[in-house]
Amino acid sequence: MATERPSFELAKGINGLDKIVLRESRNRSAEVYLYGGHVTSWKNENGEELLHLSSKAIFKPPKPIRGGIPLCFPQFSNFGTLESHGFARNRIWEVDASPPPLPTNSSSNAFVDLILRPTEDDLKAWPHNFEFRMRVALGSEGELTLTSRIRNTSSDGKPFTFTFAYHTYFSVSDISEVRVEGLETLDYLDNLKNRERFTEQGDAITFESETDKIYLSTPTKIAILDHEKKRTFVVRKDGLADAVVWNPWDKRSKTISDLGDEDYKHMLCVEAAAIERPITLKPGEEWKGRLELSAVPSSYSSGQLDPKKVLE
Ligand code: TA6
């Protein structure tokens, strides 16, 4: 069990925005902006960046930061009447000095607890009192864990319902050389085809054009294999049934003002999410959604990446 005393540094980031820096042994680090409760960096022992941050990211409220791990809450995309992906990603979060205990089996104390509560304006747009606590932890093996705890703190006796996603932008060497394992044969909603429902074929997912799919009822483990880097990202998730896979490709990229024209070649979003079955909380109830990311060397078997070994 980790000691409950967190170890982090508070520093100034781009445009003077406050950020938290987590450091683990052997050079590993992660950074979280209080603006958006937004993880913008996750580095391995060689100091390599594992998340993609847009070359044109704007660190200026109210524009959300493009890249890293934006939080989509209380709404994913336009599944509701709020602004796209909800408001959590462009609010100023606070460090939570006395969070309720959260059991962990990592020996690392490189973690920080953040909290978001609604402003008066938020309550006008979404009239529900909540506490959104998120712990960001850098584990002793370099794994990055985000644990969200969302509680209905309303005193009006009313439940509320939300959708959610960790909109993770992974850094990849070349999108054309990347495969995603763990989503084969699953049903998905295709955002490029009016969210019509299809069933994925049986092979690993590869990329050769714009992709924007919401995979439904996905397993708790998904692997992203980067052939050129010989690196595999393993996504482990709890409480998040769905997984969104997004790459805007060339044409769509040009319509996104804070994304560089060439960025799509070096990024892939695989997003642990709760979309198809929104979460409903009665007053006093709490939901927990956990994401754990690790980056491991890819295993090879007769010249091919062997996803089974990765997913075992
Ligand atoms: O998660 C995929 C998605 O919903 C896409 O449809 C795409 O628009 C992307 O997120 C980015 O959304 P944003 O609001 O950050 O521009």
Side-chain angles (χ1 to χ4, degrees):
M1 285 279 246
T3 53
E4 275 296 305
R5 185 113 67 74
S7 164
F8 61 83
E9 294 158 32
L10 186 57
K12 287 288 173 201
I14 297 170
N15 290 334
L17 293 174
D18 290 324
K19 69 176 182 184
I20 304 290
V21 183
L22 303 175
R23 292 187 201 284
E24 237 296 307
S25 56
R26 297 205 277 147
N27 234 359
R28 293 163 176 148
S29 66
E31 294 190 358
V32 195
Y33 274 70
L34 292 186
Y35 176 54
H38 195 130
V39 176
T40 54
S41 172
W42 171 39
K43 287 185 180 162
N44 66 11
E45 60 277 15
N46 302 320
E48 290 171 313
E49 183 54 68
L50 302 171
L51 298 176
H52 180 80
L53 188 65
S54 165
S55 57
K56 288 172 136 184
I58 297 165
F59 285 73
K60 218 180 208 178
K63 185 93 183 152
I65 299 166
R66 172 78 57 198
I69 313 182
L71 297 169
C72 304
F73 171 83
Q75 177 184 300
F76 177 77
S77 182
N78 61 353
F79 282 79
T81 55
L82 298 176
E83 62 201 271
S84 180
H85 290 326
F87 51 76
R89 65 177 179 163
N90 62 0
R91 294 295 183 271
I92 307 281
W93 290 55
E94 288 171 20
V95 173
D96 190 2
S98 52
L102 186 60
T104 162
N105 45 20
S106 169
S107 57
S108 166
N109 65 347
F111 67 89
V112 65
D113 286 288
L114 302 181
I115 186 163
L116 180 73
R117 293 189 180 91
T119 62
E120 289 297 313
D121 280 350
D122 295 338
L123 288 169
K124 279 179 203 149
W126 200 65
H128 307 291
N129 262 305
F130 66 86
E131 283 174 347
F132 182 166
R133 291 192 157 82
M134 182 177 64
R135 175 171 294 185
V136 182
L138 189 60
S140 43
E141 300 301 316
E143 72 278 17
L144 182 72
T145 307
L146 277 66
T147 309
S148 289
R149 291 179 284 177
I150 296 172
R151 178 177 288 277
N152 183 340
T153 55
S154 298
S155 50
D156 61 6
K158 288 194 188 136
F160 64 66
T161 297
F162 64 89
T163 47
F164 181 95
Y166 292 111
H167 198 304
T168 310
Y169 289 69
F170 290 95
S171 172
V172 297
S173 49
D174 176 356
I175 185 66
S176 307
E177 298 288 327
V178 167
R179 297 144 49 98
V180 175
E181 297 283 344
L183 303 174
E184 309 81 349
T185 71
L186 297 182
D187 279 8
Y188 64 88
L189 308 179
D190 195 336
N191 267 323
L192 303 178
K193 293 183 179 151
N194 295 319
R195 299 209 174 121
E196 210 183 308
R197 195 174 177 123
F198 296 92
T199 302
E200 191 56 85
Q201 41 73 41
D203 296 330
I205 295 157
T206 54
F207 301 89
E208 49 188 33
S209 60
E210 184 180 357
T211 303
D212 193 350
K213 297 176 177 176
I214 303 170
Y215 289 88
L216 308 171
S217 305
T218 59
T220 54
K221 226 186 210 180
I222 299 167
I224 302 156
L225 294 87
D226 185 337
H227 189 74
E228 209 173 296
K229 272 260 184 244
K230 298 186 176 55
R231 174 192 289 148
T232 297
F233 290 109
V234 182
V235 176
R236 292 183 176 83
K237 57 189 181 59
D238 280 314
L240 297 153
D242 307 320
V244 182
V245 176
W246 181 58
N247 183 290
W249 222 255
D250 54 350
K251 263 214 221 101
R252 170 106 172 84
S253 291
K254 294 198 174 80
T255 68
I256 304 175
S257 60
D258 58 347
L259 190 65
D261 287 357
E262 304 284 305
D263 278 34
Y264 79 93
K265 292 180 181 165
H266 307 295
M267 59 165 267
L268 177 65
C269 288
V270 175
E271 312 162 29
I275 301 168
E276 189 193 28
R277 288 192 202 97
I279 314 295
T280 297
L281 294 177
K282 293 191 195 115
E285 281 184 342
E286 184 177 88
W287 168 85
K288 193 154 108 182
R290 185 176 181 275
L291 173 70
E292 184 188 300
L293 307 178
S294 43
V296 296
S298 296
S299 50
Y300 263 80
S301 148
S302 57
Q304 288 276 312
L305 287 167
D306 184 354
K308 285 198 191 75
K309 281 191 185 148
V310 170
L311 287 174
E312 259 161 24

